[in-house]
Amino acid sequence: MDNPIKIFRSPYLLAEKFARELVAAINESAAKKRPYTIVLSGGSTPELLFSLLGDHFSGSADWEYAHFFWGDERCVAADNSESNYGMARRKLFDRIEIPSSNIHRIKGEADPEAEAVRYAQEILKFTESENGLPRFDLIILGLGEDGHTVSIFPGLIDLMDSDKICTVTRHPVSNQNRITLTGRVINNACRVVFLVTGKKKAEIVEKIVRGKENFKNFPASHIVPVDGVLSWYIDIEAATLIEV
Ligand code: 6PG
């Protein structure tokens, strides 16, 4: 069986390998004339991946078949430096030929509750349904040092079983409103990949990957796809405390 934990000597090598795989998956789907639905993570870790795709793979993928969504968004305007969509637009979408109708952003500037409802409708319109839930082809996740993923923070574990597709949460430190996918939709995906880099993440990676201490308190430890594949793409710094 393919080892679900893949360790890379640098964030660059990790991003490059993942970029190649992503482009191959999009093209494989395009060959079948089938849209490929991708959920992007926010935060800083995916920035290198987006830049690589924009700079080195812009002509390699059949972007017309790629539909991009977000796992979560900060409730700020798209041109705000905090905007997950804004970062992806600058680093990737402004550099590739993709129909704007394929970019399904969360409107961080809108009323959060209303936007969570609207975004759920948008997801239902553009994804296949399985087990009564939207089924994405690929979900890319990040991991916070506190064990959060998307914007499901410790203390919000109940959102892993929510009946809602999206909901509003608050960042526990900044108090910033967030709109986030919930757990059952994530665990209904065909493929889920954690991209994690940097020494700061070593402790939380060890706890979750090795199921140590109170790991069930960490939302990220509840990412267990129902009938999909889970992988961890980690650089050597984030993997310092785990041996594979
Ligand atoms: C967000 C995210 C969040 C992120 C982690 C890791 O909007 O902040 O989606 O879940 O993935 O906080 O963030 P870094 O990659 O910046 O460490």
Side-chain angles (χ1 to χ4, degrees):
M1 202 184 79
D2 191 21
N3 189 329
I5 301 172
K6 303 177 194 313
I7 299 180
F8 298 82
R9 287 199 313 281
S10 70
Y12 185 89
L13 290 172
L14 185 161
E16 200 203 24
K17 177 77 165 56
F18 190 72
R20 283 186 196 292
E21 290 179 4
L22 178 57
V23 167
I26 293 168
N27 291 342
E28 197 185 313
S29 203
K32 300 177 197 143
K33 304 265 176 264
R34 184 185 164 281
Y36 191 73
T37 55
I38 305 148
V39 172
L40 300 176
S41 57
S44 57
T45 304
E47 194 165 343
L48 186 50
L49 170 68
F50 298 163
S51 300
L52 264 169
L53 287 167
D55 294 344
H56 301 293
F57 294 89
S58 56
S60 320
D62 196 340
W63 300 110
E64 202 188 318
Y65 284 87
H67 281 255
F68 290 95
F69 300 79
W70 275 261
D72 66 333
E73 184 59 281
R74 294 91 181 265
C75 293
V76 295
D79 57 5
N80 183 300
S81 60
E82 288 267 311
S83 167
N84 287 334
Y85 162 72
M87 189 271 275
R89 186 184 62 199
R90 288 189 302 279
K91 299 292 177 181
L92 174 57
F93 298 121
D94 285 352
R95 305 176 191 198
I96 61 175
E97 296 291 321
I98 185 169
S100 57
S101 54
N102 287 27
I103 301 171
H104 308 274
R105 77 179 183 97
I106 300 174
K107 297 185 174 143
E109 68 276 17
D111 169 77
E113 295 295 345
E115 178 58 12
V117 172
R118 185 202 68 80
Y119 200 59
Q121 296 307 321
E122 173 122 357
I123 288 172
L124 287 168
K125 217 166 108 194
F126 285 91
T127 55
E128 289 171 7
S129 183
E130 191 109 4
N131 312 320
L133 288 164
R135 184 165 166 84
F136 287 104
D137 293 303
L138 171 66
I139 297 187
I140 305 170
L141 295 177
L143 176 66
E145 289 170 54
D146 62 356
H148 81 261
T149 192
V150 287
S151 281
I152 301 179
F153 300 100
L156 299 176
I157 298 285
D158 57 323
L159 292 181
M160 298 312 296
D161 289 316
S162 170
D163 291 333
K164 290 184 179 172
I165 292 172
C166 307
T167 194
V168 179
T169 62
R170 262 175 198 274
H171 190 283
V173 178
S174 68
N175 228 17
Q176 180 187 58
N177 272 332
R178 300 285 185 96
I179 295 167
T180 185
L181 282 186
T182 56
R184 292 176 58 221
V185 175
I186 297 172
N187 283 329
N188 200 43
C190 302
R191 186 170 183 220
V192 179
V193 179
F194 278 102
L195 302 184
V196 186
T197 60
K199 199 172 268 139
K200 283 190 304 181
K201 304 284 174 75
E203 273 186 38
I204 192 67
V205 164
E206 185 198 20
K207 287 181 184 155
I208 292 175
V209 168
R210 292 290 172 253
K212 292 185 89 170
E213 295 174 26
N214 53 350
F215 74 104
K216 277 295 168 198
N217 293 346
F218 304 126
S221 69
H222 295 262
I223 302 298
V224 185
V226 177
D227 58 0
V229 179
L230 174 65
S231 323
W232 290 78
Y233 284 51
I234 313 177
D235 77 337
I236 40 170
E237 296 226 324
T240 312
L241 301 175
I242 60 167
E243 269 154 45
V244 176

